Amino acid sequence: DVKVTQSSRYLVKRTGEKVFLECVQDMDHENMFWYRQDPGLGLRLIYFSYDVKMKEKGDIPEGYSVSREKKERFSLILESASTNQTSMYLCASRSGGETYEQYFGPGTRLTVT
Amino acid sequence: KNEVEQSPQNLTAQEGEFITINCSYSVGISALHWLQQHPGGGIVSLFMLSSGKKKHGRLIATINIQEKHSSLHITASHPRDSAVYICAVLPNTGNQFYFGTGTSLTVIP
């Protein structure tokens, strides 16, 4: 069974803290994605990676960075968390072929106080 | 500006009713993805379409490429179908999906 896991379901952090969100997939997928989901806005792409050590900015990369040192693992980093980064964060992965189907993790609900 | 529009935003139905959720988009696409999200956050894939029609159990998805429109139908709806349904498109020219804001469905027993 296809599996994408995220390190935490719920996280509460203080303003200014450095936050790490981890995502692991077991499908040997080339592509991995980090989204945030906010009411009324849908899912918005923060960053994606199409290979180890490769990354591309999505639509809303400001305030975030990513790391992909191994194929199965894609980390999202909030260098200095702010209250406007309170959101649901979803990781997804997809193979490099033309199947296109994305598989999502369970999400991390991050609250920054 | 969202390139993917879903309607309706919210939908309440009685158990057993036939339900239709619509998705319109503005760009040429390689694929369209219908997703389901239950309370608590997890998103699961329902269908991936590039043409025609697909059916899985009580769910049917159709796409009209010329009209840039897709519909998701649920026959004989059930309270367990209550969820947010999300449409996402993969443009011909890109590598990322663009998502609609979702349709929140509530099926009342």
Side-chain angles (χ1 to χ4, degrees):
Chain A
D1 212 14
V2 157
K3 224 17 173 293
V4 180
T5 57
Q6 294 183 227
S7 48
S8 307
R9 289 302 304 272
Y10 300 94
L11 210 50
V12 180
K13 295 291 183 181
R14 292 189 182 275
T15 301
E17 278 194 82
K18 192 168 186 175
V19 182
F20 292 88
L21 303 181
E22 260 205 339
C23 175
V24 178
Q25 50 97 2
D26 66 359
M27 296 160 282
D28 201 37
H29 283 168
E30 288 81 1
N31 300 295
M32 296 186 75
F33 305 83
W34 273 108
Y35 297 96
R36 64 177 281 176
Q37 185 180 32
D38 300 289
L41 295 178
L43 278 83
R44 292 179 293 165
L45 182 65
I46 304 170
Y47 267 97
F48 70 98
S49 168
Y50 53 89
D51 202 350
V52 175
K53 296 194 187 295
M54 306 302 287
K55 61 185 179 186
E56 293 276 349
K57 291 180 181 179
D59 297 319
I60 51 164
E62 297 78 19
Y64 303 94
S65 62
V66 290
S67 171
R68 192 161 180 208
E69 296 295 319
K70 292 186 177 181
K71 191 175 186 181
E72 67 270 19
R73 194 176 297 265
F74 192 34
S75 300
L76 179 70
I77 303 148
L78 287 67
E79 295 290 343
S80 177
S82 63
T83 54
N84 63 11
Q85 292 177 310
T86 291
S87 188
M88 170 70 90
Y89 289 87
L90 289 146
C91 174
S93 75
R94 190 172 95 219
S95 76
E98 291 194 351
T99 53
Y100 301 130
E101 189 161 358
Q102 285 196 125
Y103 297 88
F104 286 84
T108 296
R109 188 165 293 282
L110 173 67
T111 303
V112 183
T113 61
Chain B
K1 177 181 172 295
N2 200 337
E3 296 173 342
V4 183
E5 299 287 338
Q6 286 186 238
S7 63
Q9 280 191 302
N10 297 285
L11 183 55
T12 301
Q14 291 286 338
E15 184 172 357
E17 280 186 20
F18 180 85
I19 287 162
T20 296
I21 298 169
N22 296 298
C23 175
S24 296
Y25 52 93
S26 56
V27 298
I29 65 169
S30 301
L32 184 143
H33 206 169
W34 279 105
L35 303 153
Q36 181 192 55
Q37 185 175 31
H38 280 284
I43 294 177
V44 297
S45 171
L46 297 175
F47 296 103
M48 182 70 69
L49 291 165
S50 55
S51 65
K53 177 179 171 177
K54 286 191 176 179
K55 185 175 190 290
H56 186 258
R58 294 180 296 105
L59 272 60
I60 303 165
T62 63
I63 188 168
N64 185 318
I65 295 292
Q66 287 73 29
E67 294 188 3
K68 295 185 169 61
H69 182 267
S70 176
S71 293
L72 177 68
H73 306 286
I74 305 175
T75 62
S77 60
H78 190 277
R80 65 174 175 267
D81 297 326
S82 298
V84 174
Y85 292 84
I86 300 168
C87 170
V89 302
L90 181 65
N92 284 332
T93 54
N95 189 31
Q96 67 176 75
F97 276 91
Y98 289 90
F99 294 80
T101 54
T103 294
S104 179
L105 171 65
T106 303
V107 182
I108 300 169

